[in-house]
Amino acid sequence: MIRLLLSHQWKEATRSSVWQKNVAINAVLGFFMLILLLYVVLIGFFMDELVQAVKPGANTVEVVNRALLYYFLFDLALRFFIQDLPVMGIQPYLHLPVGKGKLIHFVLWKSITSMFNFLSLLLFIPFALRMLPELYGTVGTWAWVLGLFLLTLFNNFLTLYFKRLLVEKPLVTFGFLFAVVGLGAADYLGYIGLGTVSAGVFSGLGSNPVWLLLPLVLFAGAYVINYAYLKAHTYPEEMRIRKQSKVGDTTEIGFLQRFGELGTLISLELKLIARHKRPKSTMTMGVFFLAYGFLFYTNKVYTDGYAMLIFPGIFMSGFVMLSYGQFVPGWQSAHFDALLTKRLSPYTFFLGKFWMFVPACTAAYLITLLYGLMPEIGGKIMLINTACFLYNIGINTFVVLYMSTYNKKRIDLSKGSSFNWQGVGASQFILMLPALVLPILVYVPFGLMDKPYWGVAAVGVLGLLGFIFHRQLLGLVVKRFQEQKYAIAAGFRQA
């Protein structure tokens, strides 16, 4: 059965027009991939020399063991944004005398072939064979390697589960992401010691193979919850048709409907984000960039002044708005012509975007207030981040929306998010200059007069005035859009 499924998958891949058109490109990409994998193997082989170059005299095995938990946390974060879900058309098989369990097991085991799952082996097997036999012996060395591979598979299935859950229960997935970020933040601030835990666990794997039970249980648990989820959500089409829908069931977001046409537009935008990989990844990246402040707030070169702290304040509270808004209205490029034919006011269209950006900035700002707990500089951070938040909702929202009227690049929402440069043009790069640099320029004159608090206040007051007069500013955006809408539509029609 497995051989037959593999044969079908191979034929589906090789017979597709995409594969046939891109054989040469795939060959070149494969060559560069082999070179990158060779570099990974070399890093693993010379890891002792690399560690000694960074920490002369340190115990290399101990340093690696302490770093492994951080490696797996980083691996988990990277997978969430880059690794694609394994795809297989199960539907044609469900009416055949084939057990659903076999199909689900095939889909799950297919995900193990992802390159992410073999990077840890390529990186750490050369290191283990060179450094660990003298310390742990042959059995201990291979137990250590097997433990790493099981944790890699645990990351694989955990990522797949939460990515599948993102559409149905986004709050659960966001809660998981916040937990990972919170764990890293707690370790960074010294409340917990992940390095100590990591050293104990991975040295235990080498010293006592019984420790293999821990990664084995984690792997088995992640596999079982994936299996249960897929089994509960895999039905043939005729079964779905027979399912009775309850009275009152709707895909609408209830509380938004009270806002009429504006609420409907926001609801449709949120569905677009939830149902497509690229906008979803663009939004969820903002969760990880909330930790960006640690690069600045732990360095006295930046915290002694005020101007450089404005940049992380703008960036963290406005990242979701800037990253998602730079592609407006490209997200609607597939049906932009239809929008032009509707009796939809351009003002309402852009007002819907505005009231999406404001709550996103507000949520990010409230989370950045946690940096206020940092000793000595906490008050300064809260003050600057408050001013930056006001600037984002009052000025940068309109900078983003105004620059969007120069966007004529089509975006295909059916494409994945990894290495996808669709919709990227000059306007995206130009947008970042006024959005990130202008608030610093507002502050600088006051900083030169040795009035830093006046400068911070000026940034905040300017943003507050922009928010108060948002209708007038939106009018400027709409006027520009009316002049360019047919040129934008023509650009979106180009493949």
Side-chain angles (χ1 to χ4, degrees), residues 153-155 157-158 161 217-227:
L153 296 182
F154 167 70
N155 271 5
F157 289 114
L158 195 66
Y161 177 71
V217 168
L218 291 174
F219 159 67
Y223 187 91
V224 168
I225 62 173
N226 271 275
Y227 179 85

Side-chain angles (χ1 to χ4, degrees), residues 452-474:
Y453 290 104
W454 288 20
V456 173
V459 172
V461 168
L462 186 62
L464 185 60
L465 289 173
F467 184 76
I468 293 172
F469 296 103
H470 70 273
R471 293 182 180 276
Q472 289 76 10
L473 292 174
L474 271 178

Side-chain angles (χ1 to χ4, degrees), residues 66 69-70 73 179-197:
R66 288 181 66 87
L69 197 53
Y70 298 101
L73 284 175
V180 173
V181 173
L183 192 66
D187 177 72
Y188 194 90
L189 294 172
Y191 294 113
I192 59 175
L194 292 181
T196 304
V197 175

